[in-house]
Amino acid sequence: MPKKCNFIEKLRELGLRPTKQRLNMCEVLFNREKTFHFTINDLVKMISEKMNQKISLATVYNTVHAFEKKGYLKEISIDSHKSYFDTNTSVHHHFFDEETNELIDCDENDIDPINIKKNIAGKKINSVEVLIKVASDNQNQK
Amino acid sequence: MPKKCNFIEKLRELGLRPTKQRLNMCEVLFNREKTFHFTINDLVKMISEKMNQKISLATVYNTVHAFEKKGYLKEISIDSHKSYFDTNTSVHHHFFDEETNELIDCDENDIDPINIKKNIAGKKINSVEVLIKVASDNQNQK
DNA sequence: AACTACATTATAATAATTCTAAACTATTGA
DNA sequence: TCAATAGTTTAGAATTATTATAATGTAGTT
């Protein structure tokens, strides 16, 4: 979703009614310069603490999944216990810092295009995603 | 773990006692030609149905995690609801069929080496994994 | 054989997510 | 403007996946 846009219009385009709760979520998620990575819990906390608005956990689940289905959020799964959502829905890759649990976007220049040489008969490729796990390089400490 | 090997020895090398339950799990997991992808539930079913052996769910969780920790199994996370374990612990990539929920190994020749041009200061790369999601190519149906 | 440390088990506890159904609200159209 | 209605929110219950517990069992050692 474009920055500073009219979220009411955007939600209507998605076929979602612009309720107070959804507008609060849009404000937190899409009204920012950079890509944002978050968990459901992060989002509930931000809305209740930073925005000082009451929202039910079920609504956050519902709305995040609605946004995901409509293509405005993408899920990035790290392992069975760590799953993030990403406001950047373009094809892009990630670094994941295993120590800080931080997910970082790769930009286009960080990684050469992925060249897949094999086709699976009768199948088309829906997505190609690279996850680069990193940690402190203690060898290079001075 | 090598095929047809002495699982008793292998388990001892890992510092794990060769119990009946662990040997059954080794038999199912490692005594086969090809890489095997499975969920915890798959494994419980295979042991109880195919091997006709009783095993508790907790033991399967414990042992899978022990094998994973020792580097004999690798977790492959598809999304927050789909997590597989892989008996192929080498660095390799995967196709995932979103219709059949089947995970398929890429072999070395299926994909060109991934070239990462950006370093994150003070961090070293622990792993690089590519996940290629595929589905039926209905455009090409005749 | 007996001791000890590790394993297994059923079950309970916890955590994450989804479901339910009642109350609420945005939209529509008379 | 004001129902009617269809979609939304909510608290709490239900479900699912995973981990913890503590009693019992077993492998390895002496």
Side-chain angles (χ1 to χ4, degrees):
Chain A
M1 292 186 189
K3 297 158 208 136
K4 299 282 182 196
C5 70
N6 184 344
F7 293 126
I8 292 177
E9 272 318 301
K10 280 289 157 196
L11 286 170
R12 285 219 184 88
E13 281 169 25
L14 296 182
L16 298 172
R17 288 186 180 170
T19 62
K20 182 165 63 71
Q21 291 84 347
R22 285 172 176 165
L23 289 168
N24 285 336
M25 286 181 62
C26 284
E27 197 65 33
V28 170
L29 294 178
F30 304 115
N31 202 14
R32 51 176 75 229
E33 293 298 311
K34 288 174 63 183
T35 292
F36 179 48
H37 300 115
F38 64 95
T39 65
I40 298 280
N41 269 340
D42 292 340
L43 197 47
V44 173
K45 267 190 197 161
M46 290 178 81
I47 292 170
S48 65
E49 291 174 10
K50 297 199 180 167
M51 297 194 83
N52 220 39
Q53 298 278 310
K54 195 167 154 331
I55 194 167
S56 119
L57 186 55
T59 301
V60 177
Y61 272 103
N62 289 340
T63 305
V64 164
H65 290 148
F67 287 172
E68 187 191 10
K69 204 165 166 184
K70 300 287 184 178
Y72 283 93
L73 287 174
K74 209 162 82 166
E75 189 185 9
I76 309 295
S77 180
I78 305 298
D79 65 36
S80 56
H81 286 145
K82 297 192 201 80
S83 177
Y84 294 81
F85 289 91
D86 190 343
T87 57
N88 180 354
T89 58
S90 70
V91 173
H92 67 292
H93 308 300
H94 291 94
F95 293 97
F96 180 72
D97 188 322
E98 301 192 292
E99 286 158 338
T100 64
N101 279 356
E102 195 187 359
L103 194 62
I104 303 155
D105 276 4
C106 283
D107 84 29
E108 247 187 298
N109 304 317
D110 292 344
I111 183 164
D112 279 342
I114 308 302
N115 182 29
I116 297 156
K117 293 183 284 184
K118 175 180 163 183
N119 286 58
I120 298 191
K123 302 285 175 181
K124 67 170 193 303
I125 291 175
N126 282 342
S127 70
V128 176
E129 302 213 345
V130 183
L131 183 64
I132 304 157
K133 292 186 178 170
V134 303
S136 294
D137 183 1
N138 295 313
Q139 306 318 110
N140 282 354
Q141 279 178 344
K142 282 169 192 170
Chain B
M1 293 186 188
K3 297 158 211 139
K4 299 281 180 196
C5 71
N6 185 343
F7 293 127
I8 293 177
E9 273 318 301
K10 281 289 157 197
L11 286 169
R12 285 218 184 88
E13 282 168 24
L14 298 182
L16 298 172
R17 288 188 179 170
T19 61
K20 182 165 64 71
Q21 291 84 348
R22 284 171 178 168
L23 289 168
N24 285 337
M25 286 181 63
C26 284
E27 197 66 32
V28 171
L29 294 178
F30 304 115
N31 202 14
R32 51 175 77 227
E33 294 298 311
K34 287 174 63 184
T35 293
F36 179 50
H37 300 116
F38 64 95
T39 65
I40 298 280
N41 270 340
D42 292 339
L43 197 47
V44 173
K45 267 190 197 162
M46 290 179 79
I47 292 170
S48 64
E49 290 173 11
K50 298 199 180 170
M51 298 194 81
N52 219 39
Q53 298 278 310
K54 195 171 155 329
I55 194 167
S56 118
L57 186 56
T59 300
V60 177
Y61 272 103
N62 289 340
T63 304
V64 164
H65 290 147
F67 287 171
E68 187 190 11
K69 204 165 166 184
K70 300 288 184 177
Y72 283 92
L73 287 175
K74 211 163 81 164
E75 189 184 10
I76 310 293
S77 180
I78 306 297
D79 66 35
S80 56
H81 286 147
K82 299 193 200 79
S83 178
Y84 295 80
F85 290 90
D86 189 343
T87 57
N88 179 355
T89 58
S90 70
V91 172
H92 68 291
H93 308 300
H94 292 93
F95 293 97
F96 180 71
D97 188 322
E98 301 192 292
E99 285 158 339
T100 64
N101 278 356
E102 195 187 359
L103 194 62
I104 304 156
D105 277 4
C106 283
D107 84 28
E108 247 187 296
N109 304 317
D110 293 344
I111 184 165
D112 279 342
I114 309 302
N115 182 29
I116 297 156
K117 295 183 284 184
K118 175 180 162 182
N119 286 57
I120 298 190
K123 301 285 174 179
K124 67 170 193 304
I125 291 174
N126 283 342
S127 69
V128 176
E129 303 212 345
V130 183
L131 184 63
I132 304 157
K133 292 187 178 169
V134 303
S136 294
D137 183 1
N138 294 314
Q139 305 319 111
N140 282 354
Q141 279 179 341
K142 281 169 194 172

